[in-house]
Amino acid sequence: MTSHISVARRRLPVWSIPVLWTLALGLWGLSRQHSVWRDEAATWQVARRSAADIWHMLGQVDVVHGLYYLLMHGLFTCFGPSTTTLRLPSVLAMAVAAACVAVIGRRLAGFWAGLGGGLALGLLPAVQFYLQEGRPYALVAAGAGMATLLLVTVLEGRGGAGHWAAYGGTVLVCALLNWLSLLMLAAHLATLVWTRAGRGTWLRWTAAASAAAAGALPLVLFSRRQSDQVSWIPPLTWHMMIGPAVLLAIGVLGVVLDRPRTGRLSLAAVGMPLLAVPQIGLIGLSLIQPLFLDRYVLFSMLGLALMIGATLGAAVRATRPRFPRASRWLVPVTVVAAVLALLPQSLAKRSPASRVDDVLAVSADVRRLKRDGDAVLFVPAARRDAALVSPDDFAGLRDIALERSPVSSGTLKGEEAGPARIRTAMLAQQRILLVTDVAAVARPVSAERDKVKTAVLKRYFRVAADEQVRGRRVTVYERLAPDRRRTLGAKAVGPTAW
């Protein structure tokens, strides 16, 4: 068996095994039992618009994801909307990231460090979550991996002007997918300081980094006008620091075992800054405006994988003199143990319950409960995403609160009429379907329109059916007879927690 491992080391490039491994992890349970949650629903509904409509929307909301939406629009046009089309780009992107980790580890610390780091990336819990997510964060991680590999190549003296141009272009594309990825430049700056890069390297890096930052600057400035979109993110608290502290502790262990020397290119000199600097940078930004979400710096997990690879490589080197045969099994056995230990988490992240809600499941309930001529309401208005993702399931229903559609208004949820007009429209209905959140994840009703919706339903309608599924709720209301309304008065009818 050991001879087979030796043959594989000679014949297979080190990156091939992590790529196949990450692809397998990504394709496993890719549809999540045919579920799509609210963040992915935004991608789905925007990707189905025309390029002109997407461009119109970006002037109002979500400009930070504009490039990603246009990319997904192209894929949906070519392959059709499905959970596979939605998520496969993230799977492929993370496989590219794993390949970059493996190549960097192999060059700087040997075969086992590269193999161990590449395999570890796909097993990290945060990576497993976004590996199957129809959002841009895995694509940013792939770009960060490519940019870091290009940087390592030029620091090794192998690259030229073409590599620097590719580096700047890659960083720019990452920034256009999520401009917080510019924090990788600060990480690479720390690597240059650590390795005492020469004057020529500094000049070329500064030129490439400045060009990328300048290219992304218009997006950064324009997106500040849409900062209300992240106003829901909670302020930074001490308990939020626990996760980053654990990650940094793992990284420090890798640094200790890698024993890097200042002025020398090493795995620690590349991996530790890539892990630590984006995390610390995001914490610093969050002190100014709350932005602390792990997905914004998902690419820092490449640094963690590199440091895990450094730890595994050091362990193999330490055991090889006394146990040469056993040392070859150290990485495979560790990976198997990690798979078994993380199996409950891996299964959980591939279930619909791993996300807040399921847009497709509630749409199926609407299809089953609706009747021709029924009206539909959404509380809050953002729950209209179910109708936008599954329009066929809502066919025949009249959205009586909607004044301008999401497409014509250039928004994600459309523009609703004023409270008085909504009340008048509701009182003209016999049956209304209300799509909302289950109580466990619902926020208190705050918008005046939503307060009117709930008040009218409580006073003038009764609950005829109520279904709750995977974080969403659809309730069928039927109009009360006049004598029944007099009996009930102002008493609430039906569920009160929206």
Side-chain angles (χ1 to χ4, degrees), residues 95-159:
V96 170
C100 293
V101 168
V103 173
I104 294 170
R106 171 69 178 86
R107 286 188 186 178
L108 300 182
F111 175 83
W112 291 114
L115 181 63
L119 294 176
L121 180 66
L123 286 174
L124 297 176
V127 171
Q128 289 202 56
F129 189 94
Y130 294 105
L131 175 65
Q132 296 183 330
E133 185 85 349
R135 298 300 278 171
Y137 309 111
L139 277 67
V140 173
M146 295 168 63
T148 304
L149 178 56
L150 287 166
L151 181 67
V152 168
T153 300
V154 295
L155 290 177
E156 288 179 320
R158 303 186 187 188

Short mmCIF file of all heavy atoms in Angstrom, two decimals, residues 95-159:
data_model
loop_
_atom_site.label_atom_id
_atom_site.label_comp_id
_atom_site.label_asym_id
_atom_site.label_seq_id
_atom_site.Cartn_x
_atom_site.Cartn_y
_atom_site.Cartn_z
N ALA A 95 -12.95 24.39 -5.68
CA ALA A 95 -11.98 23.40 -6.15
C ALA A 95 -10.72 24.08 -6.67
O ALA A 95 -9.59 23.61 -6.44
CB ALA A 95 -12.60 22.53 -7.24
N VAL A 96 -10.88 25.20 -7.35
CA VAL A 96 -9.73 25.99 -7.80
C VAL A 96 -8.94 26.51 -6.59
O VAL A 96 -7.70 26.47 -6.58
CB VAL A 96 -10.20 27.17 -8.69
CG1 VAL A 96 -9.04 28.12 -8.97
CG2 VAL A 96 -10.78 26.64 -9.99
N ALA A 97 -9.65 26.98 -5.59
CA ALA A 97 -8.98 27.47 -4.37
C ALA A 97 -8.18 26.36 -3.71
O ALA A 97 -7.05 26.58 -3.25
CB ALA A 97 -10.02 28.03 -3.40
N ALA A 98 -8.75 25.15 -3.66
CA ALA A 98 -8.04 24.00 -3.06
C ALA A 98 -6.78 23.67 -3.86
O ALA A 98 -5.73 23.33 -3.28
CB ALA A 98 -8.97 22.79 -3.00
N ALA A 99 -6.87 23.78 -5.18
CA ALA A 99 -5.69 23.53 -6.01
C ALA A 99 -4.59 24.54 -5.71
O ALA A 99 -3.40 24.18 -5.61
CB ALA A 99 -6.09 23.59 -7.49
N CYS A 100 -4.97 25.80 -5.55
CA CYS A 100 -3.98 26.85 -5.24
C CYS A 100 -3.31 26.60 -3.90
O CYS A 100 -2.08 26.75 -3.76
CB CYS A 100 -4.65 28.22 -5.25
SG CYS A 100 -5.23 28.75 -6.89
N VAL A 101 -4.10 26.22 -2.90
CA VAL A 101 -3.55 25.90 -1.58
C VAL A 101 -2.55 24.75 -1.69
O VAL A 101 -1.45 24.80 -1.11
CB VAL A 101 -4.67 25.56 -0.58
CG1 VAL A 101 -4.11 24.94 0.69
CG2 VAL A 101 -5.49 26.80 -0.24
N ALA A 102 -2.92 23.72 -2.43
CA ALA A 102 -2.05 22.55 -2.57
C ALA A 102 -0.73 22.91 -3.26
O ALA A 102 0.35 22.48 -2.84
CB ALA A 102 -2.77 21.46 -3.35
N VAL A 103 -0.79 23.71 -4.31
CA VAL A 103 0.43 24.08 -5.05
C VAL A 103 1.33 24.96 -4.17
O VAL A 103 2.55 24.76 -4.12
CB VAL A 103 0.06 24.79 -6.36
CG1 VAL A 103 1.32 25.33 -7.04
CG2 VAL A 103 -0.67 23.84 -7.30
N ILE A 104 0.74 25.92 -3.49
CA ILE A 104 1.54 26.79 -2.61
C ILE A 104 2.19 25.96 -1.51
O ILE A 104 3.39 26.11 -1.21
CB ILE A 104 0.66 27.90 -2.00
CG1 ILE A 104 0.18 28.86 -3.09
CG2 ILE A 104 1.43 28.67 -0.92
CD1 ILE A 104 -0.88 29.83 -2.61
N GLY A 105 1.42 25.07 -0.88
CA GLY A 105 1.98 24.22 0.18
C GLY A 105 3.09 23.34 -0.33
O GLY A 105 4.12 23.16 0.34
N ARG A 106 2.90 22.77 -1.52
CA ARG A 106 3.93 21.88 -2.11
C ARG A 106 5.22 22.65 -2.37
O ARG A 106 6.32 22.16 -2.08
CB ARG A 106 3.39 21.28 -3.41
CG ARG A 106 4.42 20.50 -4.23
CD ARG A 106 4.81 19.22 -3.51
NE ARG A 106 5.76 18.44 -4.27
CZ ARG A 106 7.08 18.61 -4.24
NH1 ARG A 106 7.62 19.56 -3.46
NH2 ARG A 106 7.87 17.83 -4.93
N ARG A 107 5.09 23.85 -2.91
CA ARG A 107 6.30 24.61 -3.24
C ARG A 107 7.07 25.06 -2.00
O ARG A 107 8.31 25.05 -1.99
CB ARG A 107 5.91 25.85 -4.04
CG ARG A 107 5.50 25.57 -5.48
CD ARG A 107 5.35 26.89 -6.21
NE ARG A 107 4.83 26.73 -7.54
CZ ARG A 107 4.57 27.75 -8.36
NH1 ARG A 107 4.79 29.00 -7.94
NH2 ARG A 107 4.10 27.54 -9.57
N LEU A 108 6.34 25.45 -0.96
CA LEU A 108 6.99 26.07 0.19
C LEU A 108 7.31 25.11 1.33
O LEU A 108 8.15 25.42 2.17
CB LEU A 108 6.13 27.22 0.71
CG LEU A 108 5.84 28.35 -0.27
CD1 LEU A 108 5.02 29.45 0.39
CD2 LEU A 108 7.13 28.92 -0.85
N ALA A 109 6.61 23.96 1.38
CA ALA A 109 6.85 23.07 2.53
C ALA A 109 6.79 21.59 2.17
O ALA A 109 6.81 20.76 3.08
CB ALA A 109 5.83 23.36 3.63
N GLY A 110 6.69 21.25 0.92
CA GLY A 110 6.75 19.85 0.55
C GLY A 110 5.40 19.24 0.21
O GLY A 110 4.34 19.85 0.38
N PHE A 111 5.44 18.00 -0.28
CA PHE A 111 4.26 17.30 -0.78
C PHE A 111 3.16 17.18 0.26
O PHE A 111 2.00 17.48 0.00
CB PHE A 111 4.67 15.91 -1.26
CG PHE A 111 3.51 15.05 -1.71
CD1 PHE A 111 3.00 15.17 -2.98
CD2 PHE A 111 2.91 14.14 -0.83
CE1 PHE A 111 1.92 14.38 -3.39
CE2 PHE A 111 1.84 13.36 -1.23
CZ PHE A 111 1.34 13.48 -2.51
N TRP A 112 3.52 16.74 1.47
CA TRP A 112 2.48 16.46 2.47
C TRP A 112 1.83 17.75 2.98
O TRP A 112 0.63 17.76 3.29
CB TRP A 112 3.06 15.66 3.62
CG TRP A 112 3.44 14.27 3.23
CD1 TRP A 112 4.69 13.72 3.18
CD2 TRP A 112 2.54 13.24 2.79
NE1 TRP A 112 4.65 12.42 2.75
CE2 TRP A 112 3.33 12.09 2.51
CE3 TRP A 112 1.17 13.16 2.61
CZ2 TRP A 112 2.78 10.90 2.05
CZ3 TRP A 112 0.61 11.97 2.15
CH2 TRP A 112 1.41 10.86 1.88
N ALA A 113 2.59 18.81 3.05
CA ALA A 113 1.99 20.09 3.45
C ALA A 113 0.99 20.56 2.40
O ALA A 113 -0.09 21.05 2.73
CB ALA A 113 3.08 21.14 3.66
N GLY A 114 1.35 20.40 1.13
CA GLY A 114 0.44 20.78 0.06
C GLY A 114 -0.80 19.92 0.02
O GLY A 114 -1.92 20.44 -0.08
N LEU A 115 -0.60 18.62 0.12
CA LEU A 115 -1.74 17.70 0.09
C LEU A 115 -2.64 17.91 1.30
O LEU A 115 -3.87 18.00 1.17
CB LEU A 115 -1.26 16.25 0.04
CG LEU A 115 -2.37 15.19 -0.02
CD1 LEU A 115 -3.18 15.33 -1.29
CD2 LEU A 115 -1.77 13.78 0.09
N GLY A 116 -2.04 18.02 2.48
CA GLY A 116 -2.83 18.19 3.70
C GLY A 116 -3.62 19.49 3.69
O GLY A 116 -4.80 19.53 4.05
N GLY A 117 -2.98 20.59 3.27
CA GLY A 117 -3.67 21.88 3.21
C GLY A 117 -4.79 21.88 2.19
O GLY A 117 -5.89 22.38 2.44
N GLY A 118 -4.53 21.30 1.01
CA GLY A 118 -5.55 21.25 -0.02
C GLY A 118 -6.77 20.44 0.38
O GLY A 118 -7.91 20.82 0.09
N LEU A 119 -6.54 19.30 1.06
CA LEU A 119 -7.66 18.48 1.53
C LEU A 119 -8.39 19.14 2.70
O LEU A 119 -9.61 19.02 2.83
CB LEU A 119 -7.15 17.10 1.95
CG LEU A 119 -6.57 16.21 0.84
CD1 LEU A 119 -6.01 14.92 1.43
CD2 LEU A 119 -7.62 15.89 -0.21
N ALA A 120 -7.63 19.84 3.55
CA ALA A 120 -8.24 20.47 4.73
C ALA A 120 -9.21 21.58 4.35
O ALA A 120 -10.22 21.78 5.02
CB ALA A 120 -7.15 21.02 5.65
N LEU A 121 -8.93 22.29 3.25
CA LEU A 121 -9.77 23.44 2.90
C LEU A 121 -11.23 23.04 2.75
O LEU A 121 -12.12 23.68 3.30
CB LEU A 121 -9.26 24.08 1.60
CG LEU A 121 -10.06 25.30 1.13
CD1 LEU A 121 -9.92 26.45 2.12
CD2 LEU A 121 -9.63 25.72 -0.26
N GLY A 122 -11.48 21.97 2.01
CA GLY A 122 -12.86 21.56 1.77
C GLY A 122 -13.59 21.06 3.00
O GLY A 122 -14.82 21.01 3.01
N LEU A 123 -12.84 20.71 4.05
CA LEU A 123 -13.45 20.19 5.27
C LEU A 123 -13.79 21.28 6.28
O LEU A 123 -14.56 21.03 7.22
CB LEU A 123 -12.52 19.17 5.94
CG LEU A 123 -12.43 17.80 5.26
CD1 LEU A 123 -11.36 16.95 5.94
CD2 LEU A 123 -13.77 17.09 5.28
N LEU A 124 -13.22 22.47 6.13
CA LEU A 124 -13.49 23.53 7.10
C LEU A 124 -14.99 23.84 7.11
O LEU A 124 -15.61 24.00 6.05
CB LEU A 124 -12.69 24.78 6.73
CG LEU A 124 -11.17 24.63 6.75
CD1 LEU A 124 -10.50 25.90 6.26
CD2 LEU A 124 -10.68 24.29 8.16
N PRO A 125 -15.61 23.94 8.28
CA PRO A 125 -17.07 24.14 8.35
C PRO A 125 -17.57 25.34 7.55
O PRO A 125 -18.57 25.25 6.86
CB PRO A 125 -17.32 24.31 9.85
CG PRO A 125 -16.23 23.51 10.51
CD PRO A 125 -15.03 23.70 9.63
N ALA A 126 -16.88 26.48 7.64
CA ALA A 126 -17.32 27.66 6.89
C ALA A 126 -17.25 27.41 5.39
O ALA A 126 -18.13 27.83 4.63
CB ALA A 126 -16.47 28.86 7.26
N VAL A 127 -16.21 26.70 4.96
CA VAL A 127 -16.07 26.40 3.53
C VAL A 127 -17.15 25.44 3.08
O VAL A 127 -17.73 25.59 2.00
CB VAL A 127 -14.66 25.83 3.24
CG1 VAL A 127 -14.57 25.31 1.81
CG2 VAL A 127 -13.60 26.91 3.48
N GLN A 128 -17.47 24.43 3.89
CA GLN A 128 -18.53 23.50 3.52
C GLN A 128 -19.87 24.21 3.36
O GLN A 128 -20.70 23.81 2.53
CB GLN A 128 -18.64 22.38 4.55
CG GLN A 128 -17.48 21.41 4.53
CD GLN A 128 -17.85 20.07 5.14
OE1 GLN A 128 -18.79 19.42 4.73
NE2 GLN A 128 -17.08 19.66 6.14
N PHE A 129 -20.10 25.25 4.15
CA PHE A 129 -21.35 25.99 4.05
C PHE A 129 -21.42 26.76 2.72
O PHE A 129 -22.40 26.65 1.98
CB PHE A 129 -21.46 26.97 5.22
CG PHE A 129 -22.81 27.65 5.34
CD1 PHE A 129 -23.79 27.13 6.16
CD2 PHE A 129 -23.09 28.81 4.63
CE1 PHE A 129 -25.03 27.75 6.28
CE2 PHE A 129 -24.32 29.43 4.74
CZ PHE A 129 -25.29 28.90 5.56
N TYR A 130 -20.38 27.52 2.41
CA TYR A 130 -20.41 28.38 1.22
C TYR A 130 -19.96 27.65 -0.05
O TYR A 130 -20.08 28.20 -1.14
CB TYR A 130 -19.57 29.63 1.46
CG TYR A 130 -20.19 30.49 2.52
CD1 TYR A 130 -19.65 30.56 3.80
CD2 TYR A 130 -21.36 31.20 2.27
CE1 TYR A 130 -20.23 31.34 4.79
CE2 TYR A 130 -21.96 31.97 3.25
CZ TYR A 130 -21.39 32.04 4.50
OH TYR A 130 -22.00 32.79 5.49
N LEU A 131 -19.47 26.43 0.12
CA LEU A 131 -19.15 25.59 -1.02
C LEU A 131 -20.39 25.30 -1.86
O LEU A 131 -20.32 25.14 -3.08
CB LEU A 131 -18.55 24.27 -0.50
CG LEU A 131 -18.22 23.15 -1.48
CD1 LEU A 131 -17.11 23.59 -2.42
CD2 LEU A 131 -17.78 21.91 -0.71
N GLN A 132 -21.56 25.28 -1.21
CA GLN A 132 -22.82 24.98 -1.89
C GLN A 132 -23.79 26.15 -1.79
O GLN A 132 -24.98 25.97 -1.61
CB GLN A 132 -23.46 23.73 -1.28
CG GLN A 132 -22.64 22.47 -1.47
CD GLN A 132 -23.35 21.26 -0.90
OE1 GLN A 132 -24.10 21.35 0.07
NE2 GLN A 132 -23.10 20.10 -1.49
N GLU A 133 -23.27 27.34 -1.94
CA GLU A 133 -24.07 28.54 -1.77
C GLU A 133 -24.11 29.32 -3.08
O GLU A 133 -23.06 29.58 -3.69
CB GLU A 133 -23.47 29.41 -0.67
CG GLU A 133 -24.29 30.62 -0.32
CD GLU A 133 -25.38 30.30 0.70
OE1 GLU A 133 -25.62 29.12 0.96
OE2 GLU A 133 -25.99 31.25 1.22
N GLY A 134 -25.30 29.71 -3.52
CA GLY A 134 -25.43 30.48 -4.73
C GLY A 134 -25.16 31.96 -4.50
O GLY A 134 -26.01 32.81 -4.78
N ARG A 135 -23.98 32.26 -4.00
CA ARG A 135 -23.53 33.63 -3.74
C ARG A 135 -22.05 33.74 -4.15
O ARG A 135 -21.41 32.71 -4.42
CB ARG A 135 -23.73 34.02 -2.27
CG ARG A 135 -25.16 34.00 -1.79
CD ARG A 135 -26.06 34.95 -2.56
NE ARG A 135 -25.96 36.33 -2.05
CZ ARG A 135 -26.51 37.37 -2.66
NH1 ARG A 135 -27.15 37.20 -3.82
NH2 ARG A 135 -26.40 38.58 -2.15
N PRO A 136 -21.45 34.93 -4.17
CA PRO A 136 -20.13 35.09 -4.79
C PRO A 136 -18.93 34.74 -3.92
O PRO A 136 -17.79 34.84 -4.38
CB PRO A 136 -20.10 36.59 -5.13
CG PRO A 136 -20.96 37.22 -4.10
CD PRO A 136 -22.05 36.23 -3.82
N TYR A 137 -19.13 34.30 -2.68
CA TYR A 137 -18.02 34.22 -1.74
C TYR A 137 -17.00 33.13 -2.10
O TYR A 137 -15.79 33.32 -1.89
CB TYR A 137 -18.56 34.02 -0.32
CG TYR A 137 -19.61 35.05 -0.01
CD1 TYR A 137 -20.96 34.70 0.14
CD2 TYR A 137 -19.28 36.40 0.08
CE1 TYR A 137 -21.93 35.65 0.38
CE2 TYR A 137 -20.25 37.37 0.32
CZ TYR A 137 -21.58 36.99 0.46
OH TYR A 137 -22.54 37.93 0.68
N ALA A 138 -17.44 32.03 -2.66
CA ALA A 138 -16.50 30.99 -3.09
C ALA A 138 -15.68 31.47 -4.29
O ALA A 138 -14.50 31.14 -4.42
CB ALA A 138 -17.25 29.71 -3.43
N LEU A 139 -16.30 32.25 -5.17
CA LEU A 139 -15.57 32.78 -6.31
C LEU A 139 -14.47 33.73 -5.86
O LEU A 139 -13.36 33.74 -6.42
CB LEU A 139 -16.53 33.50 -7.27
CG LEU A 139 -17.30 32.65 -8.27
CD1 LEU A 139 -18.31 31.73 -7.59
CD2 LEU A 139 -17.99 33.52 -9.30
N VAL A 140 -14.75 34.52 -4.83
CA VAL A 140 -13.73 35.41 -4.27
C VAL A 140 -12.59 34.58 -3.68
O VAL A 140 -11.41 34.93 -3.84
CB VAL A 140 -14.34 36.34 -3.20
CG1 VAL A 140 -13.25 37.14 -2.49
CG2 VAL A 140 -15.35 37.28 -3.84
N ALA A 141 -12.92 33.48 -3.01
CA ALA A 141 -11.89 32.62 -2.44
C ALA A 141 -10.99 32.05 -3.54
O ALA A 141 -9.76 31.97 -3.37
CB ALA A 141 -12.53 31.49 -1.63
N ALA A 142 -11.58 31.66 -4.66
CA ALA A 142 -10.78 31.15 -5.78
C ALA A 142 -9.84 32.24 -6.29
O ALA A 142 -8.65 31.98 -6.56
CB ALA A 142 -11.70 30.67 -6.89
N GLY A 143 -10.36 33.45 -6.44
CA GLY A 143 -9.52 34.55 -6.89
C GLY A 143 -8.40 34.86 -5.93
O GLY A 143 -7.25 35.13 -6.34
N ALA A 144 -8.69 34.81 -4.62
CA ALA A 144 -7.65 35.05 -3.61
C ALA A 144 -6.57 33.97 -3.69
O ALA A 144 -5.37 34.26 -3.53
CB ALA A 144 -8.27 35.09 -2.22
N GLY A 145 -6.99 32.73 -3.93
CA GLY A 145 -6.02 31.66 -4.08
C GLY A 145 -5.12 31.87 -5.28
O GLY A 145 -3.88 31.69 -5.21
N MET A 146 -5.71 32.28 -6.40
CA MET A 146 -4.91 32.52 -7.61
C MET A 146 -3.97 33.70 -7.42
O MET A 146 -2.80 33.65 -7.82
CB MET A 146 -5.86 32.77 -8.79
CG MET A 146 -6.70 31.56 -9.16
SD MET A 146 -8.04 31.95 -10.31
CE MET A 146 -7.11 32.52 -11.73
N ALA A 147 -4.47 34.78 -6.80
CA ALA A 147 -3.62 35.95 -6.57
C ALA A 147 -2.46 35.61 -5.65
O ALA A 147 -1.31 36.04 -5.88
CB ALA A 147 -4.45 37.09 -5.98
N THR A 148 -2.73 34.83 -4.60
CA THR A 148 -1.67 34.45 -3.67
C THR A 148 -0.64 33.55 -4.34
O THR A 148 0.57 33.68 -4.12
CB THR A 148 -2.27 33.75 -2.43
OG1 THR A 148 -3.25 34.61 -1.83
CG2 THR A 148 -1.20 33.43 -1.41
N LEU A 149 -1.12 32.63 -5.18
CA LEU A 149 -0.20 31.76 -5.92
C LEU A 149 0.68 32.58 -6.87
O LEU A 149 1.89 32.32 -6.99
CB LEU A 149 -0.99 30.71 -6.69
CG LEU A 149 -0.16 29.74 -7.56
CD1 LEU A 149 0.88 29.01 -6.73
CD2 LEU A 149 -1.08 28.75 -8.27
N LEU A 150 0.10 33.56 -7.53
CA LEU A 150 0.89 34.44 -8.41
C LEU A 150 1.93 35.20 -7.61
O LEU A 150 3.08 35.37 -8.06
CB LEU A 150 -0.04 35.40 -9.14
CG LEU A 150 -0.90 34.80 -10.26
CD1 LEU A 150 -2.01 35.76 -10.66
CD2 LEU A 150 -0.02 34.45 -11.46
N LEU A 151 1.56 35.68 -6.42
CA LEU A 151 2.51 36.40 -5.57
C LEU A 151 3.67 35.49 -5.16
O LEU A 151 4.84 35.89 -5.21
CB LEU A 151 1.80 36.96 -4.34
CG LEU A 151 2.68 37.76 -3.38
CD1 LEU A 151 3.14 39.06 -4.04
CD2 LEU A 151 1.96 38.05 -2.07
N VAL A 152 3.34 34.27 -4.76
CA VAL A 152 4.39 33.31 -4.38
C VAL A 152 5.32 33.04 -5.57
O VAL A 152 6.55 32.96 -5.41
CB VAL A 152 3.75 32.00 -3.87
CG1 VAL A 152 4.79 30.90 -3.75
CG2 VAL A 152 3.06 32.24 -2.53
N THR A 153 4.74 32.93 -6.76
CA THR A 153 5.54 32.66 -7.95
C THR A 153 6.56 33.76 -8.19
O THR A 153 7.74 33.49 -8.45
CB THR A 153 4.62 32.51 -9.18
OG1 THR A 153 3.71 31.43 -8.96
CG2 THR A 153 5.43 32.23 -10.44
N VAL A 154 6.14 35.03 -8.10
CA VAL A 154 7.09 36.12 -8.34
C VAL A 154 8.09 36.25 -7.20
O VAL A 154 9.26 36.61 -7.43
CB VAL A 154 6.35 37.45 -8.59
CG1 VAL A 154 5.52 37.37 -9.86
CG2 VAL A 154 5.47 37.84 -7.42
N LEU A 155 7.67 35.94 -5.97
CA LEU A 155 8.61 35.99 -4.85
C LEU A 155 9.66 34.89 -4.94
O LEU A 155 10.77 35.03 -4.41
CB LEU A 155 7.86 35.89 -3.51
CG LEU A 155 7.01 37.11 -3.13
CD1 LEU A 155 6.26 36.86 -1.82
CD2 LEU A 155 7.87 38.35 -3.02
N GLU A 156 9.31 33.81 -5.62
CA GLU A 156 10.29 32.74 -5.85
C GLU A 156 11.23 33.06 -7.01
O GLU A 156 12.16 32.31 -7.29
CB GLU A 156 9.56 31.43 -6.16
CG GLU A 156 8.88 30.79 -4.97
CD GLU A 156 8.16 29.51 -5.34
OE1 GLU A 156 7.53 29.47 -6.43
OE2 GLU A 156 8.20 28.55 -4.55
N GLY A 157 10.97 34.17 -7.70
CA GLY A 157 11.81 34.55 -8.82
C GLY A 157 11.44 33.90 -10.13
O GLY A 157 12.21 33.93 -11.09
N ARG A 158 10.22 33.32 -10.20
CA ARG A 158 9.81 32.62 -11.42
C ARG A 158 8.99 33.49 -12.36
O ARG A 158 8.78 33.12 -13.51
CB ARG A 158 8.97 31.39 -11.07
CG ARG A 158 9.64 30.39 -10.14
CD ARG A 158 8.76 29.16 -10.00
NE ARG A 158 9.25 28.22 -9.01
CZ ARG A 158 8.74 27.02 -8.82
NH1 ARG A 158 7.70 26.62 -9.54
NH2 ARG A 158 9.24 26.22 -7.90
N GLY A 159 8.44 34.57 -11.85
CA GLY A 159 7.48 35.34 -12.63
C GLY A 159 8.06 36.60 -13.22
O GLY A 159 9.17 37.03 -12.89
#
